[in-house]
């Protein structure tokens, strides 16, 4: 696991965008796994700027998002589909047919889960998975528990996650209680993982991810088993780490 500590959120975002752009220059038809939430917003902004400067091209890129709230249609302003189009896809030259986001409204749950995984397999698997991290160590919406699910699945969100995500809604009551998420299997099968974290609220989870035991109660700790993980985190998120290298 390579850990890069930056001075602040802006530097983290720039470095992450640079790494994604470098990846896309090397592999123009890369399959990207994408995250939502507050953390990657700065990186998406910079990727849009780089696209306008002709430094990065999404025309052959395929994307798969990690998760979606159950019950929110893709037009709902708090849905992750809306977020992705608003914060990235509408501003770059990615083709709509190459964008995949798990549906939040569906009839046959198992079919949806199977279709999503099969689409990832048909695309050749995820080349670069972008991850944020929850204060409780969740990745995607793989929440802490006594065991973790390998496959894409529907998950009840923990109280901590509901509280953390309430900032995006008018009231906490509006936060959906369930989400569909890529399981640990497809995340761990990604060829490269780039995890971003900013702020002291993430410091404990980051320390447990890097220095702790591998434990399903800290889902991110499983990343220790992955051969190609880069974490770009700001110094507040790094403050509980035992050993760090700074940029
Ligand atoms: C979102 C996702 C989540 C977030 C995590 C951190 O697609 O997969 O795991 O990355 O909840 O969220 P922020 O960045 O808002 O702190």
């Amino acid at each position: 696991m390579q850990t890069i500590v930056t001075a602040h959120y802006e530097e983290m975002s720039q470095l992450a965008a640079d790494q994604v752009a470098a990846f896309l220059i090397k592999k123009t038809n890369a399959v990207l796994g994408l995250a939502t939430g507050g953390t990657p917003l700065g990186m998406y902004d910079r990727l849009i700027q780089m696209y306008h400067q002709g430094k990065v091209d999404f025309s052959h890129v395929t994307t798969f998002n990690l998760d979606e709230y159950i019950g929110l249609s893709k037009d709902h302003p708090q849905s992750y589909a809306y977020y992705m189009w608003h914060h990235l896809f509408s501003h770059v030259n990615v083709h709509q047919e190459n964008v995949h986001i798990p549906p939040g409204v569906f009839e046959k749950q198992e079919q949806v889960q199977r279709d999503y995984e099969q689409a990832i397999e048909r695309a050749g698997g995820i080349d670069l998975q972008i991850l944020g991290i929850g204060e409780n160590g969740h990745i995607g919406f793989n929440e802490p528990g006594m065991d973790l699910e390998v496959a894409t699945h529907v998950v009840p969100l923990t109280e901590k996650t509901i509280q953390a995500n309430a900032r995006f809604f008018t009231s906490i009551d509006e936060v959906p209680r369930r989400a569909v998420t890529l399981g640990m299997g497809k995340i761990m099968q990604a060829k490269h993982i780039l995890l971003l974290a900013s702020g002291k609220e993430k410091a404990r989870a980051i320390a447990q991810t890097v220095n702790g035991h591998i434990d399903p109660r800290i889902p991110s700790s499983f990343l220790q088993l992955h051969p190609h993980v880069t974490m770009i985190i700001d110094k507040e998120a790094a403050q509980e780490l035992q050993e760090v290298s700074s940029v």
Side-chain angles (χ1 to χ4, degrees):
M1 220 181 235
Q2 187 199 9
T3 307
I4 301 171
V5 181
T6 64
H8 41 62
Y9 178 79
E10 281 68 31
E11 195 184 6
M12 177 204 79
S13 303
Q14 187 61 55
L15 205 57
D18 289 345
Q19 293 218 353
V20 173
F23 198 93
L24 294 185
I25 288 166
K26 264 201 253 157
K27 186 163 189 196
T28 49
N29 63 346
V31 178
L32 297 181
L34 297 177
T36 61
T39 311
L41 286 173
M43 178 190 74
Y44 290 147
D45 273 351
R46 282 159 180 83
L47 282 171
I48 293 168
Q49 283 168 22
M50 291 164 110
Y51 165 71
H52 286 303
Q53 293 162 352
K55 293 181 182 163
V56 61
D57 173 22
F58 290 85
S59 61
H60 300 293
V61 168
T62 299
T63 68
F64 286 91
N65 263 78
L66 279 168
D67 39 26
E68 180 59 284
Y69 287 121
I70 300 281
L72 301 192
S73 72
K74 58 184 191 312
D75 311 319
H76 190 290
Q78 307 308 339
S79 73
Y80 287 164
Y82 187 95
Y83 167 114
M84 286 310 302
W85 283 97
H86 189 72
H87 292 296
L88 180 66
F89 297 149
S90 305
H91 309 284
V92 298
N93 62 342
V94 68
H95 293 294
Q96 185 160 5
E97 62 272 23
N98 292 341
V99 165
H100 305 83
I101 301 172
V105 179
F106 46 77
E107 278 174 19
K108 294 195 178 135
Q109 181 178 319
E110 276 163 21
Q111 182 74 40
V112 163
Q113 294 168 185
R114 228 180 4 251
D115 289 353
Y116 202 64
E117 299 228 337
Q118 282 171 359
I120 294 176
E121 276 153 35
R122 271 199 308 277
I126 293 169
D127 292 308
L128 176 63
Q129 175 67 57
I130 309 294
L131 292 178
I133 184 170
E135 290 172 36
N136 59 7
H138 72 223
I139 49 177
F141 275 133
N142 292 281
E143 294 280 31
M146 294 314 287
D147 48 33
L148 295 171
E149 292 220 26
V150 173
T152 298
H153 61 285
V154 167
V155 63
L157 300 181
T158 62
E159 209 38 53
K160 201 163 181 74
T161 301
I162 292 167
Q163 278 165 19
N165 290 3
R167 68 190 195 278
F168 298 114
F169 292 80
T170 352
S171 93
I172 194 162
D173 299 333
E174 287 177 20
V175 185
R177 268 36 189 175
R178 294 188 311 150
V180 55
T181 182
L182 216 58
M184 292 299 286
K186 283 281 170 281
I187 294 176
M188 293 298 286
Q189 281 165 16
K191 291 161 197 119
H192 297 264
I193 292 179
L194 178 57
L195 184 145
L196 308 181
S198 165
K200 60 181 184 331
E201 299 76 18
K202 303 291 173 72
R204 185 95 215 101
I206 288 295
Q208 287 169 318
T209 304
V210 178
N211 306 122
H213 292 290
I214 295 170
D215 184 336
R217 289 169 297 178
I218 311 290
S220 52
S221 64
F222 281 77
L223 296 175
Q224 290 178 31
L225 297 172
H226 194 285
H228 299 293
V229 178
T230 303
M231 301 204 323
I232 306 181
I233 61 180
D234 66 12
K235 66 172 188 287
E236 291 196 332
Q239 67 193 11
E240 293 188 34
L241 276 181
Q242 284 163 15
E243 255 179 58
V244 290
S245 61
S246 299
V247 282

